[in-house]
Amino acid sequence: MHKEYSFLEIEKKWQKYWENIKLFKAGEDSNKEKYYVLEMFPYPSGKIHMGHVRNYTIGDVIARFHIMKGKNVLHPMGWDAFGLPAENAAIEHNVHPYQWTMNNIKYMKRQLKRMGFSYDWDREISTCSESYYKWNQWLFLKLYEKELVYKKKALVNWCKECQTVLANEQVKEGLCWRCGTKIKEKELSQWFFKITKYADRLLKGHDSIKNWPDKVLLMQKNWIGKSEGVNIYFRIAGIKENIIVYTTRADTIFGATYLVLAPEHHIIKKLSMGELRRKIVDDFIKKCQQNKNKNIESLEKEGMFTGCYCINPVNGEIIPIWVADYVLMEYGTGAIMAVPAHDQRDYDFAKKYSLPLRIVIQPKDEFLSLQRLKSAYEGEGYLINSMHFDDLSSEEAKKEIAIWMEGMDIGRRSVNYRLRDWLISRQRYWGTPIPIIYCDNCGVVPVPYVDLPVKLPIDKDSFKDGNYKLDCVKGFVECKCPQCKGDAKRETDTMDTFVDSSWYFVRFTSPKENKLPISPKKSNYWLPVDQYIGGIEHAILHLLYARFFTEVLYDLNLLNTKEPFSSLLTQGMVIKDGAKMSKSKGNVVDPDSILDKYGADTVRLFILFAAPPEKDLEWNSQGVEGSYRFIKRVYCLVAKYVSKIKEMELEEDLLIKNSLVSFVHETIKKVTFDINNEFHFNTAIAYIMELVNKIYQFQPKSNEDYLIIKEAIKNTLLMLAPFIPHIAEELWEQVGNKPSIFYCSWPQYREDLIVKETVLIVVQINGKVRAKLNFAASLTDEEIKENILLDSTIKAKINGKKIKSFIYVPRKLANLVVV
């Protein structure tokens, strides 16, 4: 009787062994091809969930596979430790955010180790440690020196529940991305990173990114939102002031029949209105502000006439100025020329408020008239009602009108972006202090580099009644000015935590470096990250910011790469009962309970087998049980043969040809391709399962047969090692090999040993054998018959004659009667 499969004992044994021999410790080695694999590091919320387990298991398979491929693999782990949830949890549980975070890190680290992931724990980082956030502050000061940081008063997105500002990217359909509270606007003095200066570089960088999902690249391109157009100057009637309108459709300028301002546009205050009209307009603006963050596309467009007019510079026409909720201050100039015949939003608005329309573009194959116009024609065509630009195509007219406007000094060509500068100020405690001092004599003074880090006070006694506000901590706020040595005050805003995650992947390459944020030599060895893994929800926020920081580090001569991640895999969610796992839905599966019942290898196998990485995974208890049974089946297979094959010596190349040997090499070929090229772990595992079945079916009768069994089991274990590493190590040792299995090379297949299954068809023509043809066994009978007629020998024998009949005996014989 063989020993029972004791997964807890086996998994503890091999996790301890890997840790003792430092199997996954990485270092620079110029003699090896490097491979840097990284999953997005977790926020230490308390416990890992199944989404974490899936993400990290995928990365672990990739890391272990490339170790076995002989590469120098870096696979680190750390903690995105600052942030609002820890602060809120600390208040709720009456514990300091630092203690809450450290306790969670300790617990989650234990969980990750229990999964057996191949992390180099010597490189562990936590963004709330002084040794990390010091370099956030250092980078802030470098950006400040290069005039890429500035402070200004601005209308910002304010979350009342979180009591902090949010960047535009953190507002989702008018709600806070974290707590779902409705966002309101508030004017505050805030710090910004000038990411817009890098807009073009971030766009051009997409051309060099070959292995990201198209959807992610498109989302980033749309967010950056580059467009080429013209700034047109509309003079306000009665005052010497222009309203600048940005448009990408200068070809429609002659069709502008009114002008619309965003409710926040500064020029509204300068417009001459009577007292009553001013009150009506102001009330309307207040209403717009209440609806500010709603989806304007889903709302009926509303506007208010200001009682004022402006002059269309191309034809001198006086047109009314309106304020409307469908014009955004965030894009362009916050003012649009309304061309209702050729823009659907303008059309809807004009129809609602009985404003005039003028057709200035005629499509090539249709004649538009106002009487028959049921919607705006937004396509291109040929100009009409446009003075000397009539009959030009839209594309030609865009260029010619722009040049003409510049010559008349009524417009200038311009490139515009949807992207706005990154607002990094947060009015919260648990984050990186911004290294700025305010002095009455010297003004705004950056903290000297030698005084970094500006330490976040973490003693609980500094805060009264759990009120974590830096501006209430006298010992933090009050300081001396570095320049005049007089009394001064520190900045009490902290940095957006997305700053922390925008360069952590670089810090992993030299986490102990203490003279610079990174060691250029080590970073340039490891970067870019070869494979990055995380959710598509980070397509804009984290991934765009990480690309921005990488460009900055390049400009600081700290990196020689401009792109951080060569390849990106966006894994799907783990769902249960048709919905994403969440406590509120009551459909959460606790990883610890599954590990206790089945072990880490079973959890890994199920997660990898149940769905391709990029698809959502439906949690299924029967599937977990099936994965457990398969592992036991492999365990029993080895137990069945171990006494016979353990002492047998395998030749370096077993050149015996038979069906099992052929199947082994075919499986190696398929599994290698699916892991290396497609990340189709589910099909790779399915192929290995088929191989296990084939080994069970094989009936050894001689020593040679047992050698074949040993070779098959050896290759099965090698292929299983990245997926279920603990049991693979255990069985590898049981069959007589020295650990670790990860010191062994990934198995190589031999094409000449793969016997392709074929069928032989004897082909007769008028009763005489004319050919014997081999076809793949996978072809259907109909496909075989079609291929017989396409064969050159058969075509020559028929020689254009008519086929009277075609008799086919499946998989054996074909007889053609020709006349």
Side-chain angles (χ1 to χ4, degrees), residues 762-771 813-817:
V762 176
V763 183
Q764 297 177 335
I765 298 177
N766 292 338
K768 292 184 179 181
V769 176
R770 297 298 187 185
L813 177 72
N815 185 23
L816 283 69
V817 178

Side-chain angles (χ1 to χ4, degrees), residues 139-183:
L139 289 165
F140 178 99
L141 294 176
K142 286 295 178 186
L143 288 166
Y144 187 83
E145 287 173 8
K146 291 183 172 293
E147 299 183 349
L148 292 170
V149 179
Y150 63 92
K151 191 175 189 181
K152 71 168 185 178
K153 278 193 172 182
L155 283 172
V156 294
N157 304 305
W158 179 259
C159 176
K160 185 178 179 182
E161 180 67 25
C162 297
Q163 285 291 295
T164 193
V165 166
L166 301 178
N168 289 339
E169 295 88 339
Q170 294 167 323
V171 178
K172 305 298 181 185
E173 296 185 355
L175 305 177
C176 173
W177 74 299
R178 280 202 184 277
C179 68
T181 300
K182 183 179 175 182
I183 296 303

Side-chain angles (χ1 to χ4, degrees), residues 560-684:
N560 60 15
T561 183
K562 294 183 179 181
E563 288 296 335
F565 315 118
S566 295
S567 185
L568 174 68
L569 173 63
T570 52
Q571 90 281 354
M573 296 186 297
V574 180
I575 59 177
K576 187 171 184 286
D577 305 325
K580 181 181 177 181
M581 286 188 183
S582 71
K583 291 179 182 177
S584 61
K585 293 187 175 72
N587 64 347
V588 171
V589 175
D590 177 25
D592 279 343
S593 65
I594 302 299
L595 290 171
D596 289 341
K597 187 174 181 181
Y598 295 105
D601 281 342
T602 295
V603 176
R604 293 168 63 106
L605 188 67
F606 168 73
I607 277 176
L608 296 164
F609 184 56
E614 70 278 4
K615 303 291 185 184
D616 288 347
L617 182 155
E618 176 74 40
W619 186 265
N620 183 308
S621 298
Q622 291 177 326
V624 177
E625 186 67 42
S627 296
Y628 181 68
R629 284 198 304 270
F630 171 72
I631 293 174
K632 287 181 69 175
R633 185 167 165 78
V634 175
Y635 187 84
C636 292
L637 175 66
V638 172
K640 179 180 177 181
Y641 289 110
V642 66
S643 61
K644 185 73 178 177
I645 66 174
K646 184 173 183 178
E647 303 303 328
M648 295 182 101
E649 291 291 330
L650 277 174
E651 299 172 24
E652 190 170 329
D653 287 309
L654 190 66
L655 300 178
I656 303 166
K657 274 194 177 184
N658 78 355
S659 60
L660 181 56
V661 172
S662 174
F663 202 86
V664 167
H665 283 266
E666 187 175 3
T667 303
I668 295 170
K669 181 179 181 179
K670 289 176 177 177
V671 170
T672 304
F673 181 84
D674 277 1
I675 297 176
N676 201 36
N677 298 86
E678 303 289 341
F679 298 140
H680 287 171
F681 305 132
N682 56 326
T683 55

Side-chain angles (χ1 to χ4, degrees), residues 78-275:
W79 311 97
D80 192 6
F82 273 141
L84 191 58
E87 195 171 330
N88 289 341
I91 294 168
E92 182 182 345
H93 297 282
N94 193 29
V95 61
H96 193 281
Y98 179 81
Q99 186 181 346
W100 171 266
T101 301
M102 291 300 104
N103 289 343
N104 288 347
I105 287 174
K106 184 178 179 181
Y107 188 87
M108 291 174 72
K109 184 175 180 179
R110 183 190 66 76
Q111 287 184 297
L112 294 178
K113 285 193 168 186
R114 193 178 175 193
M115 285 297 301
F117 294 135
S118 56
Y119 296 130
D120 180 356
W121 284 107
D122 289 346
R123 293 175 181 264
E124 181 183 8
I125 59 175
S126 172
T127 60
C128 69
S129 68
E130 292 174 11
S131 62
Y132 187 88
Y133 71 70
K134 168 185 178 178
W135 301 110
N136 281 349
Q137 295 168 345
W138 187 94
L139 289 165
F140 178 99
L141 294 176
K142 286 295 178 186
L143 288 166
Y144 187 83
E145 287 173 8
K146 291 183 172 293
E147 299 183 349
L148 292 170
V149 179
Y150 63 92
K151 191 175 189 181
K152 71 168 185 178
K153 278 193 172 182
L155 283 172
V156 294
N157 304 305
W158 179 259
C159 176
K160 185 178 179 182
E161 180 67 25
C162 297
Q163 285 291 295
T164 193
V165 166
L166 301 178
N168 289 339
E169 295 88 339
Q170 294 167 323
V171 178
K172 305 298 181 185
E173 296 185 355
L175 305 177
C176 173
W177 74 299
R178 280 202 184 277
C179 68
T181 300
K182 183 179 175 182
I183 296 303
K184 292 188 176 181
E185 284 198 330
K186 189 173 183 178
E187 188 173 61
L188 291 174
S189 187
Q190 303 283 283
W191 288 99
F192 292 83
F193 283 163
K194 202 177 287 186
I195 192 173
T196 51
K197 189 173 180 182
Y198 284 77
D200 250 348
R201 286 169 63 172
L202 291 168
L203 274 176
K204 288 174 183 174
H206 287 147
D207 296 336
S208 65
I209 297 173
K210 305 302 179 188
N211 295 306
W212 282 31
D214 290 340
K215 183 179 179 181
V216 173
L217 293 176
L218 182 61
M219 289 167 74
Q220 283 201 7
K221 285 174 183 174
N222 289 341
W223 189 259
I224 296 169
K226 181 179 180 179
S227 63
E228 296 180 358
V230 184
N231 282 329
I232 305 174
Y233 314 137
F234 287 76
R235 186 164 59 82
I236 300 170
I239 63 173
K240 291 182 179 180
E241 191 90 40
N242 285 332
I243 298 173
I244 300 174
V245 168
Y246 173 78
T247 181
T248 59
R249 291 296 304 270
D251 55 321
T252 66
I253 177 65
F254 291 92
T257 58
Y258 60 100
L259 186 143
V260 190
L261 300 172
E264 309 93 327
H265 203 293
H266 67 91
I267 205 76
I268 296 172
K269 294 178 181 178
K270 296 183 180 181
L271 296 178
S272 298
M273 304 181 207
E275 188 176 334

Side-chain angles (χ1 to χ4, degrees), residues 244-346:
I244 300 174
V245 168
Y246 173 78
T247 181
T248 59
R249 291 296 304 270
D251 55 321
T252 66
I253 177 65
F254 291 92
T257 58
Y258 60 100
L259 186 143
V260 190
L261 300 172
E264 309 93 327
H265 203 293
H266 67 91
I267 205 76
I268 296 172
K269 294 178 181 178
K270 296 183 180 181
L271 296 178
S272 298
M273 304 181 207
E275 188 176 334
L276 179 59
R277 174 58 55 180
R278 173 69 65 186
K279 184 179 186 310
I280 292 171
V281 171
D282 286 348
D283 288 346
F284 174 75
I285 290 171
K286 287 177 184 175
K287 181 181 176 183
C288 290
Q289 288 172 342
Q290 291 172 357
N291 295 328
K292 170 70 178 175
N293 287 295
K294 291 183 180 177
N295 183 356
I296 60 170
E297 297 299 330
S298 64
L299 297 174
E300 184 178 353
K301 293 155 189 61
E302 294 190 357
M304 185 62 61
F305 177 44
T306 64
C308 301
Y309 295 84
C310 63
I311 300 166
N312 187 333
V314 298
N315 56 14
E317 184 178 359
I318 296 174
I319 59 176
I321 302 172
W322 284 67
V323 180
D325 57 4
Y326 74 98
V327 179
L328 302 176
M329 199 66 217
E330 293 80 22
Y331 186 73
T333 63
I336 67 161
M337 61 177 205
V339 186
H342 303 291
D343 182 280
Q344 190 59 44
R345 291 178 306 168
D346 297 345

